[in-house]
Amino acid sequence: KEPPTGRPFTPTEEAILLAGFLRYEPEWHPHYLLLLRSLMRTGESLALKPEDLNFETRKILVRETFSEGKIGPTKTKRVRIIDMSEELALALLAYLIRRREEERIRGIRFTYLFGWEADRPIAMRTFQGLFNGLRDFLGLPHRVLYSTRHTGITRLLTMTSDYEYIKTQAGH
């Protein structure tokens, strides 16, 4: 069997994946949209905190990563600020409103943007399992979760030839 690759999804496959999350796993749609639109590494997205999102400037502060069960510095050991599309900003804002209601009901405050425990992000294994399960259910070609990053980079390459901007957004 051929090993899975980080090949990007086609625009049609990406649309099917996002529609699938919206329909079957709506709680997680904003997170997968974030991966596809922001060029963030998966661990960086897991380490996001609500205060890392600035909806006025539509910017995301990327300062940490979640790897091997621990929060630490990003792969490049650098903090970066990346752009947030209007589509992503609206999805994340709606998610945060629902999240605040969940906090009120449960009487807790979540430290991390994505996760079910007050002080821990969702486990990578759980997050990958959600992705793999829906990908297979939708009949999409075998791609690894990291393909979302490659898909986002490919999408941005079709929109601009400003390689310095793409490099900055991707944290290279």
Side-chain angles (χ1 to χ4, degrees):
K1 184 175 177 182
E2 188 177 311
T5 68
R7 289 178 295 161
F9 286 104
T10 67
T12 300
E13 293 165 348
E14 177 187 24
I16 291 168
L17 182 67
L18 285 173
F21 270 106
L22 199 54
R23 179 171 181 187
Y24 299 109
E25 294 285 354
E27 177 184 358
W28 295 105
H29 174 265
H31 196 166
Y32 291 94
L33 181 64
L34 172 75
L35 289 177
L36 287 160
R37 298 291 186 265
S38 71
L39 315 188
M40 292 177 77
R41 294 174 181 90
T42 307
E44 293 171 341
S45 73
L46 293 171
L48 280 178
K49 297 176 181 173
E51 60 267 22
D52 295 332
L53 307 177
N54 185 324
F55 293 102
E56 289 179 21
T57 61
R58 290 203 342 236
K59 302 286 184 192
I60 302 171
L61 180 65
V62 181
R63 53 189 165 152
E64 296 175 307
T65 193
F66 183 60
S67 177
E68 299 179 10
K70 295 180 181 159
I71 298 291
T74 64
K75 180 179 178 181
T76 61
K77 311 271 190 280
R78 293 187 198 142
V79 173
R80 71 182 190 280
I81 297 173
I82 58 176
D83 293 328
M84 184 183 345
S85 70
E86 184 176 355
E87 173 193 29
L88 179 57
L90 290 172
L92 289 173
L93 191 54
Y95 173 80
L96 275 176
I97 291 168
R98 291 189 310 273
R99 188 92 162 146
R100 295 293 181 233
E101 181 62 14
E102 176 75 14
E103 288 176 331
R104 187 188 67 73
I105 291 167
R106 292 177 58 188
I108 62 171
R109 187 80 163 155
F110 294 113
T111 302
Y112 296 97
L113 191 59
F114 301 106
W116 297 308
E117 297 177 43
D119 59 351
R120 290 190 53 80
I122 187 173
M124 180 70 79
R125 179 183 294 183
T126 303
F127 194 62
Q128 287 174 328
L130 285 165
F131 173 81
N132 293 341
L134 188 63
R135 178 205 62 214
D136 294 346
F137 174 76
L138 296 171
L140 292 170
H142 191 82
R143 299 282 191 275
V144 295
L145 180 58
Y146 202 72
S147 295
T148 56
R149 181 169 159 83
H150 295 160
T151 301
I153 291 171
T154 301
R155 170 191 270 270
L156 198 53
L157 280 167
T158 65
M159 297 168 65
T160 181
S161 59
D162 185 345
Y163 299 116
E164 196 60 36
Y165 173 77
I166 296 168
K167 181 177 140 183
T168 301
Q169 292 295 293
H172 286 165

